[in-house]
Amino acid sequence: MKTLLSCSLLFLSIVVFAQKRVRPVDPIDQKVKALLAKMTLEEKVGQLNQYSGTRDVTGPAGDKTTNKLEDIKQGKVGAMLNIRGVKEIRAVQEVAMQSRLKIPLIFGLDVIHGFRVTFPVPLGETASWDLNAIELSARYTGTQAAAAGVNWTFAPMVDIARDPRWGRVMEGAGEDTYLGSLVAKARVRGLQGKGLGNLDAIMACAKHFAAYGAGLAGREYAAADISDQTLLNVYLPPFKAAVDAGVATLMNSFNTVNGVPATGNSYLQRDILKGQWQFKGFVVSDFGSIGELVAHGYAENQEDAARLAITAGSDMDMESRSYILNLTRLVKERKIPVSVIDDAAGRILRKKFELGLFDDPYRFCNEEREKQVLGDLNESLEAARKVGAKSIVLLKNENQVLPLSKKLKSIAVIGPLAKSNDLKGGWSQGWKNDQIVSLYEGLEAKVGNGTKLLYARGCNFNDTLRTGFAEAVETAKNADVIIAAIGESSGMTGEATSRTDISIPGVQEDLIKALVATGKPLVVLIMSGRPLTFNYTADHANSILYTWWLGSQSGNSMADVLFGDYNPSGKLPITFPRVLGQIPIYYNELSTGRPLLNPKDRAWKSVYMDQPNTPKFAFGYGLSYTTFEYQNLKLDKTKMKGTEKLTVTMDLTNTGKYAGEEVVQLYLQDKFASIARPVKELKDFQKVMLKPGETKKLSFVIDKQKLSFFNQKLKWVAEPGEFKLMIGTASDNIKLKSNFELIN
């Protein structure tokens, strides 16, 4: 009996030990619980309150009557935004250290596409289809911001955007869920580096949760009314990708989603994000969005808004003051349980522990490190130049006008963007005496003494004045080639810049008409943060480069491409419509019962009477100075089980005379399913560099995950049946096709 008892005790000890090993104690959890036990209810609520500093705000100005420093001293603030630089941040953190429990603040700033050095706007950068370059850009951004004392950025924006009327299309990765998900991961990895706590890492924030890009008629802050299948299949995957990549925080969106404001949406925040996805970070509201629940007609007053938002899972209130003014009373009146406050405060405190702020509240406030990192910019400037060149998309190159010869005797540089600093783009940091390389300056540095640059502005961005046309035409006549720089000013795309007309603004295309009439070779550079319509230019210019806004090194990046020092490899991450009336237009639309299969047979089909259905430039489109041949498509099997993987191989050959990169795109179509499926979906791609005459064998792997979708019952399934496989150079230019079958 004694032996049996000893064996039982030994067995029990092993089981207990094994359980402890399976579920190890998280030391940060212990620290958070211990700190929460010391905190008053008011101090817990204070952690959920975020104020804006005195720097330019990212939304409507907050309550200027609040004594913010006094609230910080009283432990009533958990985070600040719009404070930049070690000196300013340290001064405010010192006030937090005067609070009873000395809980440090988190300092956030909208660092969207670069800090001291500005990189291309996110949509433009996505056009590179180069995930390493995108991650590198975010790495420099995180490193520089952290050196200046910033702990947290409100990026990346991972909203899927199918409507270019929406100004914030600039801030994301375009229309495609698969590409957007990979870009989301790359940007989170770049910003957070090797992990929070490292001195060169800042917290990323995936925004705007959710479906912000689906706003009615492309209007800012407008309602999104979409099916659950569309929400799950199209709009949420990039957020899930960011969570899988370890994103520290999420920001909810201003809009309603199927009638419920995202800020007060428990289905999104409690059920999906914190439930199904097991997200351990915290959710911050967008600027004032909790208070806006009243304007939505969803909350009766500010107190009701606070109750609804915290219950739904919004952890931190950015600048609406709804939490700090109401939550303590709501708990005391038993309208919300204190456990909800503990959960939200605990999530925020966890990030402060992970950042190492409790060990040293000033660890990101080293003036010597700030001076060193922000003073030595050569490496990041060179990176910005390369990423900028990769982001440029060659839309047209009639008669191979590009690349330009460096032996040209004269070049006319014309247009309102030729010498402009608008190339930095919206959502960029402002710096005193900031040096942005203009197109003219880039050309000036590129050409030799034997080439003369001639300049004329021609017209303004957005008025009807044609008084500069004559000078521009005369300048053009005296040159060997014309480079025209047109597009939007940087204030025309971004938050709250929705447009009902996305054509080239003002009389800029009329200027192009006048330049075409000279008969000189014409290269047009279009600069913007969104797709624009420019049918005359597209049909009559010899060559067109879509250069977006490329940031600090814009002019150098453009000059590198214009003269062939970099062969353009960008591909469009969003569809460009022919006319406004086609919007929304995107490549992966659902199949229809009356598709247009033959352009000559349009009767009773899903077509327009006055325009083709096709876009002007399709998703994935982009030319090169060289040419590529797709050959020898092979599948290692034509039938695959759900447990198997299918390997696809093909040969890619550079058949031109320039070395260049090609983005090979793989699309799939689920031909028969329990719900209508898209006509094609991007499921893989590779960016490949080839020398002239070189051939490479490429390999793609298809698994069950790539065949799965959320069905009518919102179950994640891969249904047996036939699939069409397509590989091409753009979504509308498929070079290789085959079929395979998924079997039980």
Side-chain angles (χ1 to χ4, degrees):
M1 178 66 73
K2 185 176 181 181
T3 303
L4 182 61
L5 181 60
S6 298
C7 291
S8 298
L9 289 172
L10 177 61
F11 176 75
L12 182 60
S13 299
I14 292 171
V15 170
V16 171
F17 179 70
Q19 288 177 337
K20 287 182 178 179
R21 292 190 63 184
V22 171
R23 287 182 280 182
V25 175
D26 185 337
I28 292 183
D29 274 349
Q30 288 183 313
K31 292 177 182 179
V32 169
K33 289 176 182 177
L35 182 54
L36 284 171
K38 298 177 184 177
M39 297 172 70
T40 65
L41 176 59
E42 290 78 6
E43 287 169 333
K44 294 174 184 177
V45 171
Q47 288 301 300
L48 317 186
N49 182 35
Q50 183 182 44
Y51 285 152
S52 176
T54 56
R55 190 171 296 279
D56 290 343
V57 298
T58 55
D63 177 11
K64 295 182 179 180
T65 63
T66 302
N67 188 331
K68 296 176 182 178
L69 293 181
E70 183 60 32
D71 277 1
I72 292 170
K73 191 182 297 184
Q74 295 297 322
K76 294 181 179 180
V77 184
M80 294 291 294
L81 72 153
N82 293 321
I83 300 177
R84 190 182 76 185
V86 163
K87 186 176 181 180
E88 291 183 25
I89 287 173
R90 186 181 186 98
V92 178
Q93 192 73 286
E94 286 174 349
V95 177
M97 291 302 100
Q98 298 174 42
S99 63
R100 185 179 76 90
L101 292 175
K102 296 179 172 51
I103 298 175
L105 297 170
I106 298 173
F107 292 89
L109 188 68
D110 280 293
V111 189
I112 305 302
H113 54 107
F115 187 69
R116 186 61 188 86
V117 171
T118 308
F119 284 78
V121 294
L123 184 64
E125 195 175 71
T126 303
S128 72
W129 291 57
D130 190 324
L131 298 174
N132 291 329
I134 291 168
E135 183 174 342
L136 180 67
S137 164
R139 185 82 290 273
Y140 281 114
T141 299
T143 298
Q144 292 177 4
V150 176
N151 314 128
W152 185 18
T153 179
F154 306 110
M157 190 190 93
V158 302
D159 297 310
I160 296 300
R162 293 171 162 179
D163 193 330
R165 291 174 297 182
W166 186 48
R168 285 191 98 161
V169 67
M170 176 204 80
E171 222 180 313
E175 73 184 44
D176 184 68
T177 300
Y178 180 79
L179 177 60
S181 296
L182 294 181
V183 170
K185 287 184 176 181
R187 289 186 170 138
V188 169
R189 287 195 302 264
L191 291 166
Q192 297 187 172
K194 294 180 180 178
L196 302 186
N198 289 282
L199 291 173
D200 61 352
I202 59 176
M203 295 198 304
C205 182
K207 65 183 187 184
H208 306 84
F209 196 65
Y212 197 30
L216 179 68
R219 208 169 65 239
E220 189 73 71
Y221 317 123
D225 195 359
I226 55 180
S227 69
D228 285 338
Q229 285 94 348
T230 300
L231 178 67
L232 294 170
N233 284 317
V234 177
Y235 289 95
L236 291 191
F239 289 97
K240 179 61 164 60
V243 170
D244 291 344
V247 71
T249 64
L250 264 75
M251 177 185 287
N252 54 42
S253 54
F254 285 114
N255 56 289
T256 58
V257 181
N258 299 334
V260 180
T263 307
N265 198 312
S266 60
Y267 171 63
L268 289 173
Q269 297 175 118
R270 293 284 184 201
D271 297 349
I272 294 177
L273 178 62
K274 296 178 179 179
Q276 296 173 24
W277 297 355
Q278 294 292 296
F279 177 61
K280 301 302 182 186
F282 69 86
V283 178
V284 62
S285 79
D286 210 333
F287 201 106
S289 72
I290 293 177
E292 291 173 16
L293 293 179
V294 179
H296 276 295
Y298 188 70
E300 184 178 354
N301 49 42
Q302 189 189 51
E303 177 184 310
D304 194 32
R307 178 184 62 83
L308 290 166
I310 193 69
T311 302
S314 292
D315 300 306
M316 182 177 282
D317 175 10
M318 182 190 286
E319 265 291 344
S320 86
R321 292 161 173 74
S322 299
Y323 282 2
I324 196 67
L325 295 176
N326 296 287
L327 286 186
T328 298
R329 184 175 66 259
L330 286 168
V331 172
K332 290 179 178 178
E333 293 175 355
R334 298 187 177 182
K335 293 181 179 178
I336 55 173
V338 71
S339 60
V340 173
I341 307 297
D342 285 349
D343 176 65
R347 289 171 178 270
I348 295 163
L349 293 172
R350 163 172 275 279
K351 294 306 169 189
K352 294 184 178 186
F353 277 111
E354 290 177 1
L355 286 165
L357 292 173
F358 281 101
D359 296 327
D360 180 3
Y362 310 112
R363 64 195 309 264
F364 293 96
C365 296
N366 185 312
E367 291 191 51
E368 187 59 36
R369 182 168 64 242
E370 179 184 37
K371 183 178 179 181
Q372 179 183 353
V373 173
L374 302 189
D376 183 8
L377 301 176
N378 289 336
E379 186 179 290
S380 55
L381 285 169
E382 183 60 27
R385 180 173 183 163
K386 291 179 179 178
V387 175
K390 288 174 178 286
S391 302
I392 294 172
V393 183
L394 177 62
L395 297 180
K396 185 179 181 182
N397 196 21
E398 189 178 77
N399 299 323
Q400 286 70 54
V401 169
L402 294 177
L404 299 175
S405 169
K406 294 177 183 176
K407 296 180 180 179
L408 288 169
K409 292 182 179 179
S410 59
I411 300 172
V413 188
I414 295 171
L417 280 156
K419 288 188 174 182
S420 174
N421 278 337
D422 281 88
L423 312 183
K424 193 174 184 181
W427 285 109
S428 53
Q429 295 293 310
W431 297 93
K432 187 177 180 180
N433 301 321
D434 200 6
Q435 297 298 312
I436 307 298
V437 181
S438 70
L439 169 62
Y440 189 90
E441 290 167 333
L443 293 171
E444 200 171 35
K446 179 68 67 174
V447 299
N449 295 329
T451 302
K452 187 176 182 180
L453 295 182
L454 310 173
Y455 167 74
R457 181 176 176 87
C459 66
N460 297 321
F461 287 112
N462 200 20
D463 60 34
T464 59
L465 297 176
R466 292 173 167 80
T467 52
F469 279 25
E471 180 191 4
V473 169
E474 191 62 30
T475 301
K477 288 179 178 179
N478 292 321
D480 294 329
V481 66
I482 309 166
I483 298 176
I486 63 173
E488 294 182 308
S489 66
S490 60
M492 291 181 179
T493 296
E495 184 173 357
T497 59
S498 297
R499 292 178 60 188
T500 60
D501 179 1
I502 59 165
S503 61
I504 302 284
V507 294
Q508 293 180 81
E509 274 211 289
D510 289 339
L511 175 63
I512 296 299
K513 291 178 183 178
L515 297 176
V516 167
T518 67
K520 296 285 186 175
L522 174 61
V523 179
V524 178
L525 277 62
I526 302 177
M527 306 173 194
S528 176
R530 71 168 108 218
L532 298 172
T533 56
F534 44 92
N535 289 308
Y536 180 86
T537 299
D539 295 341
H540 294 88
N542 299 104
S543 298
I544 303 171
L545 291 169
Y546 213 85
T547 65
W548 317 97
W549 290 314
L550 298 178
S552 298
Q553 290 285 289
S554 290
N556 288 330
S557 298
M558 289 185 276
D560 287 344
V561 170
L562 284 166
F563 287 94
D565 293 322
Y566 180 80
N567 186 351
S569 62
K571 301 280 187 176
L572 295 178
I574 188 169
T575 302
F576 278 46
R578 295 174 182 272
V579 293
L580 185 72
Q582 290 180 302
I583 296 171
I585 182 171
Y586 44 92
Y587 85 93
N588 52 351
E589 65 181 8
L590 296 181
S591 301
T592 174
R594 296 189 179 188
L596 179 66
L597 302 177
N598 180 358
K600 295 181 180 180
D601 180 15
R602 299 167 58 87
W604 312 110
K605 298 295 192 295
S606 179
V607 296
Y608 294 108
M609 293 178 63
D610 57 342
Q611 287 284 341
N613 282 20
T614 55
K616 193 68 176 181
F617 300 105
F619 173 84
Y621 175 84
L623 303 176
S624 169
Y625 295 154
T626 192
T627 54
F628 298 96
E629 187 175 54
Y630 290 62
Q631 290 180 309
N632 301 326
L633 176 66
K634 294 181 181 178
L635 282 62
D636 71 342
K637 58 177 73 71
T638 57
K639 296 179 185 291
M640 64 173 283
K641 298 177 181 178
T643 56
E644 297 177 329
K645 294 181 180 180
L646 185 153
T647 300
V648 180
T649 58
M650 58 154 288
D651 292 337
L652 181 71
T653 302
N654 183 342
T655 53
K657 58 183 181 179
Y658 296 98
E661 295 169 287
E662 170 72 331
V663 179
V664 179
Q665 303 158 42
L666 184 150
Y667 297 88
L668 295 177
Q669 181 190 21
D670 191 342
K671 297 180 73 171
F672 309 102
S674 58
I675 60 173
R677 302 289 293 126
V679 294
K680 60 172 69 79
E681 294 179 285
L682 181 73
K683 290 297 181 180
D684 209 343
F685 66 89
Q686 292 185 37
K687 190 165 189 175
V688 185
M689 169 62 80
L690 293 175
K691 299 174 183 177
E694 184 181 4
T695 298
K696 284 187 179 178
K697 184 174 290 294
L698 308 184
S699 179
F700 300 92
V701 175
I702 297 171
D703 57 13
K704 182 180 178 181
Q705 183 75 7
K706 290 182 178 177
L707 307 180
S708 297
F709 63 97
F710 285 96
N711 65 11
Q712 191 174 13
K713 296 181 179 180
L714 306 185
K715 301 293 184 182
W716 181 248
V717 297
E719 296 179 347
E722 190 175 359
F723 289 81
K724 184 177 181 180
L725 181 145
M726 297 158 276
I727 296 178
T729 184
S731 62
D732 67 342
N733 191 358
I734 301 301
K735 301 293 188 181
L736 303 170
K737 299 178 183 179
S738 188
N739 293 290
F740 65 91
E741 186 179 359
L742 177 67
I743 60 176
N744 285 321

